[in-house]
Amino acid sequence: MQNYDQKELTFSVANNAVTHLGRNLYSSAPPALAELVANSYDAYATNVIISIKENDNSLVIADNGKGLNFEEFESKYVTIGTKKQDEIPFKGMDKREPMGQKGIGKLSAFSLGEEYVVYSKTLDSKQWLSFELKYEDMIESGSKHTTTVSLLEKLPDELSEFQIFESGFIIHCKKLRKKLTKRTRDSVILQLSRRFYLTQDDFSIVYDDKIVSLETNFYYQNLEYVIYFGYSNDEINNIFKDNVIKKEKFQGDSNILCFIEDNGIKGWVGSVSKPKELKENTDNIIVYSNGKIADEDILKGKTEARIAKSYMVGEIQANYFIDLEDPITSSRQGLDDSVSEVKDFINTIENIRKYFIGKWDVFRTSVAVEKLPEKIQKNQSYQSWLNTLTPDQKKLNGKLLTLFSAKIDEPVEHDDSYYEEVNSMITAIASVINNIETDELIKIIN
């Protein structure tokens, strides 16, 4: 590297903050990468490329955003934890609401590797500015850490594909702490999709040579029932274009409706047909604030709805949290429920969930027979029996089938033993309905 006339950057950060913000803040690779991608978005990048270099155990995150010059590094980058400055749009782009607030996400690179090299280029520069940071060195330096800045005419060979960028920012994480397995990669793609699909303008992410779909969350195609609030009918139909999904507007408590309207909250809670249609760690209600996930499971501190939770997912837009004083916890675990406004918000969402579960139970009862394996649905004897039932008995049959739904919906191979078990359940249900008064049984179930 060519020394930049011996210019240096001095980072101001307590050593325990490097550990907390660079290591402990992110428990795994996906959220750490998401933080870095969020920084790219805030810098008006339109393309972010994440590339795994297996030959030297490293990872590259590169974007074509504004980049930073030396003076901007001094004023925006080296002091950790100050309020993030608004970026001025460039290349005629519309203004973006910033995803980052405190400027602490930059250290997330230390969650990925023991050291990293930064390369940055602005539109008015023909050279790349570069410097290196090492975790151990920053720990040993105490509250101040100084690194030498260099100027490069060309990027290193392993980064040559990014030389064509007119401007941009590249982080090359080295000595990765954990091997990025296929499962990790799938999890990264899932989290990136969930975190950034709300971006409305020109923004794309490529991870390990695969384009990350940002059009919708993956589970949209599996939803069958949705309760929404804050959205107009046109807005919700634009989100869920599949006419098969049953969509109902929240019609619950008037105080909840007022809270939603007063705070400009928009959201929905929905269910899938079978738990397996929700991938790992997605059976929860996510809160977004200005397009960035503020809480990945807003009701994590509340009593679980057991069976319902494994079928449920939801998304809420609550941009008003940006106006609160530090509503998001520094541990990135979600919204801070010690803040009174957040507590009110969580209680509101819990009540919406309760409303949804009540409605969902009625919906499940109405479609319970349709959820049975096709082989059983079309059984002539079963169809004949169903045709003998009164409306109340059909409703009762649906209720009883939902009680067994956890077994029926198990992600197991539908072999002979499975069909025998389901047949036994249906035979038992038929026997009960045929021999016990419907009104009495419904009272017991309720």
Side-chain angles (χ1 to χ4, degrees), residues 288-305:
Y288 291 91
S289 190
N290 273 350
K292 183 177 181 181
I293 290 183
D295 200 305
E296 291 190 310
D297 187 2
I298 188 62
L299 298 181
K300 57 184 173 294
K302 298 293 184 178
T303 302
E304 291 187 0

Side-chain angles (χ1 to χ4, degrees), residues 125-143:
S125 175
K126 294 182 179 180
Q127 296 172 305
W128 291 84
L129 179 155
S130 180
F131 58 87
E132 184 177 47
L133 294 175
K134 296 183 178 181
Y135 180 75
E136 290 299 331
D137 289 349
M138 292 193 78
I139 293 293
E140 293 175 2
S141 298
S143 60

Side-chain angles (χ1 to χ4, degrees), residues 230-275:
Y231 287 112
S232 67
N233 289 341
D234 288 342
E235 286 176 322
I236 204 69
N237 287 329
N238 188 51
I239 294 173
F240 302 112
K241 297 180 175 65
D242 189 343
N243 291 325
V244 176
I245 300 174
K246 183 175 182 180
K247 301 177 282 283
E248 293 183 13
K249 196 163 189 174
F250 176 80
Q251 301 289 347
D253 188 281
S254 59
N255 291 327
I256 295 176
L257 290 168
C258 288
F259 185 89
I260 290 169
E261 184 176 353
D262 291 346
N263 292 292
I265 297 170
K266 296 182 177 182
W268 58 267
V269 179
S271 63
V272 294
S273 176
K274 299 180 186 297

Side-chain angles (χ1 to χ4, degrees), residues 61-101:
I61 305 99
D63 71 54
N64 66 341
K66 296 174 65 176
L68 297 172
N69 59 32
F70 184 82
E71 290 71 24
E72 289 171 322
F73 270 108
E74 285 190 312
S75 62
K76 298 179 180 180
Y77 197 87
V78 298
T79 302
I80 311 301
T82 57
K83 183 174 176 60
K84 197 169 186 178
Q85 301 176 34
D86 283 347
E87 292 288 346
I88 299 173
F90 82 148
K91 293 185 175 181
M93 297 175 66
D94 293 335
K95 179 174 174 56
R96 292 178 176 178
E97 292 297 331
M99 289 189 172
Q101 291 295 307

